[in-house]
């Protein structure tokens, strides 16, 4: 049996030896295979044309038929391992039918303010159509110039647009909230690129690494430093992997997740089809730690909100408890949790004779 994941692997192998337009056709089809809504083998078995599938023309359809009729051996290298397809995700979610209904929102996406193709209003409209109660607009911050990262002035301007959008939604009696958020660029030392005063105006801050992503040595200290940054509440696309481009960073993940638990911060399942980060094997370690999980599509277009099925299915496959998934919270609960994390992350004030905590401990001894 040759499922869509195996077909994607065969297509990308063909791309590696093809040239010109044929190489591009194979690559496009390999990427598209992850979001095919049905298994190609099922379509073929029903006698339907495989050209129904995105990226598949008559020539590729004939090749797929040959593979389906006589499946080749498929050994997937690490750089392309543990990626779900939409067809797989839907089979997984069919076993937890209450989860899609409990999902209240998407906590990572980009707009035309940075490198996205949809406006704030367009992303909100698409989310409302999906039955959500909230979204987090997480455009990049100033350190990621290649992605049009926002400086503090533009972040403030965007905030005013989001406030206006929320007022309009309330005027229309639509129960939906756009959360002011950001995907803040973290240095390898865990430092952010925005002043705390600017970030305190936001509802949520994701911290994400975007540099030195091909290091092979253990990066546990980097992750601990990132989590300890007092201005973030969620560690976004933690492993930094991308399908067929990089495997991602290595760390003692049990220690990373334990630190997140200690700080009551969340780690993300980025559902972008080429990312799917964290991978399921790491999510199983995360489950044992009890860490909170945030789900985000990393959508750069309204249509890409569909990637949420990949995030949600990965959580279900790893058996993450529903009460650990912050997207199942109400918008009020998310704001309260974020505020609690932000407060507990701030440095404790010093007083004469030692810290407040040490003096209290002395008084109790």
């Amino acid at each position: 049996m040759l499922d869509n994941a195996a077909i994607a692997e065969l297509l990308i192998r063909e791309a590696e030896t093809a040239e010109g337009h044929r190489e591009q056709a194979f690559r496009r089809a390999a990427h598209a295979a992850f979001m095919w809504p049905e298994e190609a083998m099922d379509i073929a078995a029903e006698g339907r044309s495989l050209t129904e599938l995105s990226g598949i023309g008559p020539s590729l359809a004939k090749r797929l038929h040959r593979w389906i009729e006589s499946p080749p051996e498929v050994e997937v290298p690490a750089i392309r391992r543990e990626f779900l397809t939409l067809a797989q995700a839907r089979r997984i979610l069919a076993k937890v039918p209450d989860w899609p209904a409990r999902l209240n929102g998407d906590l990572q996406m980009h707009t035309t303010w940075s490198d996205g193709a949809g406006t704030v209003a367009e992303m909100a409209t698409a989310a409302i159509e999906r039955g959500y109660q909230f979204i987090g607009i997480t455009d990049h911050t100033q350190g990621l110039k290649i992605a049009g990262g926002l400086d503090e002035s533009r972040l403030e301007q965007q905030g005013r647009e989001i406030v206006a959008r929320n007022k309009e939604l309330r005027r229309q009696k639509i129960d939906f909230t756009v959360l002011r958020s950001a995907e803040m660029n973290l240095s390898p030392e865990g430092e952010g690129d925005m002043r705390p005063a600017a970030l305190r105006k936001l509802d949520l801050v994701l911290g994400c690494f975007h540099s030195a992503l091909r290091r092979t040595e253990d990066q546990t200290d980097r992750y601990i430093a990132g989590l300890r940054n007092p201005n973030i509440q969620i560690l976004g696309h933690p492993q930094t992997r991308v399908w067929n481009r990089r495997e991602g960073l290595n760390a003692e993940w049990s220690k990373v997740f334990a630190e997140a638990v200690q700080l009551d911060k969340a780690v993300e399942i980025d559902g972008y089809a080429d990312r799917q980060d964290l991978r399921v094997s790491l999510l199983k370690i995360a489950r044992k730690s009890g860490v909170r999980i945030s789900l985000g599509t990393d959508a750069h277009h309204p249509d890409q909100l569909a990637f949420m099925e990949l995030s949600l299915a990965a959580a279900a496959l790893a058996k993450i408890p529903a009460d650990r998934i912050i997207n199942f919270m109400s918008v009020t609960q998310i704001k309260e949790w974020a505020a609690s994390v932000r407060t507990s992350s701030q440095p404790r004030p010093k007083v004469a004779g030692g810290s407040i905590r040490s003096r209290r401990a002395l008084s109790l001894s």
Side-chain angles (χ1 to χ4, degrees):
M1 303 295 286
L2 202 70
D3 64 11
N4 291 348
I7 289 173
E9 177 62 25
L10 293 172
L11 286 166
I12 201 65
R13 289 186 196 178
E14 292 291 335
E16 290 170 351
T17 58
E19 296 180 353
H21 73 277
R22 294 182 67 252
E23 177 191 357
Q24 293 305 312
F26 282 123
R27 288 191 184 279
R28 282 194 298 269
H31 285 270
F34 284 99
M35 292 303 291
W36 290 343
E38 299 176 74
E39 296 287 359
M41 60 185 176
D42 293 338
I43 293 174
E46 293 173 9
R48 292 153 55 196
S49 173
L50 293 178
T51 57
E52 292 180 23
L53 298 170
S54 174
I56 300 299
S59 176
L60 279 181
K62 291 178 182 178
R63 188 177 294 258
L64 262 60
H65 271 293
R66 290 198 297 271
W67 287 338
I68 290 168
E69 291 167 2
S70 182
E73 289 287 333
V74 179
E75 180 64 31
V76 182
I79 201 167
R80 298 194 290 266
R81 201 171 294 156
E82 289 191 71
F83 286 86
L84 296 175
T85 67
L86 181 59
Q88 288 174 321
R90 289 181 171 174
R91 290 197 298 273
I92 293 164
L93 292 175
K95 299 176 183 178
V96 284
D98 61 316
W99 274 33
R102 294 180 66 177
L103 182 72
N104 290 326
D106 183 334
L107 292 174
Q108 194 197 158
M109 64 188 64
H110 302 271
T111 72
T112 50
W113 279 94
S114 63
D115 60 344
T119 64
V120 170
E122 288 167 342
M123 300 305 278
T125 297
I128 291 167
E129 290 172 353
R130 297 179 70 84
Y132 291 165
Q133 295 178 14
F134 58 80
I135 54 171
I137 297 293
T138 56
D139 280 304
H140 294 287
T141 54
Q142 57 192 358
L144 205 64
K145 297 187 185 303
I146 193 172
L150 279 65
D151 60 21
E152 292 171 8
S153 174
R154 293 182 65 225
L155 184 65
E156 181 69 26
Q157 291 174 43
Q158 185 193 62
R160 290 195 290 271
E161 179 180 332
I162 290 173
V163 168
R165 173 54 44 185
N166 284 332
K167 285 181 178 178
E168 177 62 19
L169 290 167
R170 286 195 296 273
R171 189 190 67 79
Q172 296 177 23
K173 294 183 169 49
I174 297 174
D175 184 17
F176 185 85
T177 301
V178 181
L179 295 169
R180 287 188 62 187
S181 312
E183 181 181 342
M184 183 170 68
N185 189 44
L186 294 176
S187 73
E189 294 72 39
E191 297 172 349
D193 61 352
M194 304 288 272
R195 289 183 304 121
L199 299 172
R200 280 195 292 269
K201 299 176 182 178
L202 306 181
D203 296 306
L204 281 174
V205 180
L206 277 69
C208 296
F209 296 112
H210 296 103
S211 59
L213 303 182
R214 298 184 186 276
R215 292 180 178 174
T216 56
E217 64 271 24
D218 182 272
Q219 296 291 296
T220 304
D221 289 346
R222 179 203 289 223
Y223 286 108
I224 299 297
L227 285 165
R228 288 179 180 173
N229 185 307
N231 301 305
I232 75 163
Q233 295 84 51
I234 300 170
L235 185 64
H237 51 70
Q239 198 185 5
T240 73
R241 71 173 187 159
V242 177
W243 187 78
N244 203 40
R245 281 180 51 195
R246 59 176 182 263
E247 292 185 44
L249 299 170
N250 297 308
E252 292 185 61
W253 291 101
S254 59
K255 289 185 177 180
V256 174
F257 299 142
E259 183 69 19
V261 171
Q262 181 68 26
L263 298 168
D264 197 27
K265 297 188 177 184
V267 296
E268 185 190 43
I269 306 176
D270 183 316
Y272 200 91
D274 283 2
R275 284 190 180 273
Q276 299 193 41
D277 180 2
L278 292 160
R279 68 172 75 213
V280 172
S281 57
L282 294 183
L283 286 170
K284 291 178 179 178
I285 300 172
R287 180 196 67 218
K288 294 177 182 177
S289 76
V291 67
R292 291 188 189 271
I293 298 293
S294 175
L295 307 179
T297 57
D298 205 350
H300 286 63
H301 185 280
D303 291 348
Q304 292 178 344
L305 295 183
F307 293 155
M308 181 54 73
E309 290 180 83
L310 300 177
S311 288
L312 198 59
L317 190 58
K319 295 182 169 55
I320 302 295
D323 63 3
R324 293 282 87 195
I325 299 174
I326 64 175
N327 306 63
F328 290 173
M329 293 179 176
S330 68
V331 68
T332 299
Q333 290 171 326
I334 284 184
K335 287 184 176 182
E336 289 174 348
W337 163 73
S340 172
V341 172
R342 185 178 285 117
T343 299
S344 62
S345 296
Q346 299 310 307
R348 292 181 172 82
K350 299 289 185 179
V351 297
S355 68
I356 290 174
R357 173 177 283 184
S358 64
R359 289 188 65 184
R360 184 178 296 119
L362 285 171
S363 69
L364 294 173
S365 61

